[in-house]
Amino acid sequence: MTTISRTKDKPARGRPALAGAAVLLPSEPARNCPLCPRLATFREAARAREPTWFNSPVPSFGDPDGRLLIVGLAPGLQGANRTGRPFTGDFAGDLLYATLLEYGFAKGAYQARPDDGLALVDCRISNAVRCVPPQNKPLPLEINTCRQFLSASLAAMPNLRAIVALGRVAHDSVLKVLALRAAAAPFAHGAIHPAGSVKLYDSYHCSRYNTNTRVLTPDMFRSVFAKVKADLAENL
Ligand code: SF4
């Protein structure tokens, strides 16, 4: 059973105070996490329909000692929910992993499958919501419920310096983890919000819809990671 535990310990020097600091919690949910009944029911239906798919909460991917954490929205039905690795197997992963390879946050070759040997460098990827939601739209209660795992994931990265939030839902959830006021840190593509020794970088989500409508171009996406790379090189 997963419960939210708070610690009275002060955060490490320079680290932001994590709201509901979750250092005592597992950062990965159980395979049959029951906390969001609607998503658990959707997951069970997917298991019955597609028994060879992953169909479980998708774990974070990459180096927990890395300095960069990328936070997406939720697994795509035929992407991460199918393959079991964040952003793997659908369009969003094509742009994300190509960009990470370009800026040295990944090595190997991305081949849209979890056994392609791709490795992240100084970087980890997670999602605000770990289970695939119907129509790719988690409910506010589900986002709030799954935040305990996002919070634990941040707390489990001792060298964390940069967080890239892909889209407003990820941005809003990270703000709550970092105890930042929403009015003081509004979402905008390219915006940077300091939080102690960590900076939150906003990007539009690299979804097919956003790229097809040119809300997000590959150059706009690259510019976010170029800035992160430059800031990390200067130790922020
Ligand atoms: S979305 Fe998160 S909290 Fe909800 S059932 Fe899945 S793993 Fe559990």
Side-chain angles (χ1 to χ4, degrees), residues 29 33-36 39 43 57 129-131 145-146 149:
C33 180
L35 297 178
C36 305
L39 301 189
R43 198 172 61 207
V129 173
R130 300 299 189 90
C131 292
T145 301
C146 207
F149 298 110

Side-chain angles (χ1 to χ4, degrees), residues 167-229:
R168 189 180 299 272
V169 170
H171 165 92
D172 288 349
S173 205
V174 170
L175 283 195
K176 287 179 178 157
V177 173
L178 296 177
L180 290 179
R181 285 190 312 113
F187 176 82
H189 182 82
I192 303 173
H193 309 287
S197 63
V198 174
K199 285 182 181 171
L200 170 61
Y201 299 75
D202 288 342
S203 172
Y204 291 131
H205 194 282
C206 49
S207 65
R208 183 193 294 271
Y209 178 83
N210 279 349
T211 50
N212 279 353
T213 56
R214 296 191 68 76
V215 166
L216 179 72
T217 65
D219 280 348
M220 288 168 66
F221 199 54
R222 280 191 207 100
S223 70
V224 172
F225 287 91
K227 179 63 176 160
V228 171
K229 189 77 178 176

Side-chain angles (χ1 to χ4, degrees), residues 73-232:
L73 167 59
L77 179 63
Q78 298 189 44
N81 175 67
R82 175 173 60 83
T83 64
R85 193 175 74 181
F87 288 90
T88 297
D90 58 13
F91 179 86
D94 293 348
L95 178 56
L96 176 62
Y97 286 116
T99 306
L100 295 181
L101 284 162
E102 182 177 342
Y103 285 95
F105 290 117
K107 63 183 178 184
Y110 172 67
Q111 296 175 354
R113 48 185 176 77
D115 60 351
D116 57 13
L118 183 87
L120 299 186
V121 179
D122 201 19
C123 174
R124 193 161 171 82
I125 304 176
S126 194
N127 277 313
V129 173
R130 300 299 189 90
C131 292
V132 59
Q135 280 84 51
N136 212 28
K137 288 190 177 137
L139 301 175
L141 178 60
E142 294 159 352
I143 299 165
N144 288 340
T145 301
C146 207
R147 189 172 304 113
Q148 62 190 282
F149 298 110
L150 179 62
S151 182
S153 298
L154 266 71
M157 292 184 72
N159 303 316
L160 184 65
R161 291 292 177 273
I163 302 169
V164 173
L166 300 178
R168 189 180 299 272
V169 170
H171 165 92
D172 288 349
S173 205
V174 170
L175 283 195
K176 287 179 178 157
V177 173
L178 296 177
L180 290 179
R181 285 190 312 113
F187 176 82
H189 182 82
I192 303 173
H193 309 287
S197 63
V198 174
K199 285 182 181 171
L200 170 61
Y201 299 75
D202 288 342
S203 172
Y204 291 131
H205 194 282
C206 49
S207 65
R208 183 193 294 271
Y209 178 83
N210 279 349
T211 50
N212 279 353
T213 56
R214 296 191 68 76
V215 166
L216 179 72
T217 65
D219 280 348
M220 288 168 66
F221 199 54
R222 280 191 207 100
S223 70
V224 172
F225 287 91
K227 179 63 176 160
V228 171
K229 189 77 178 176
D231 285 351
L232 286 177

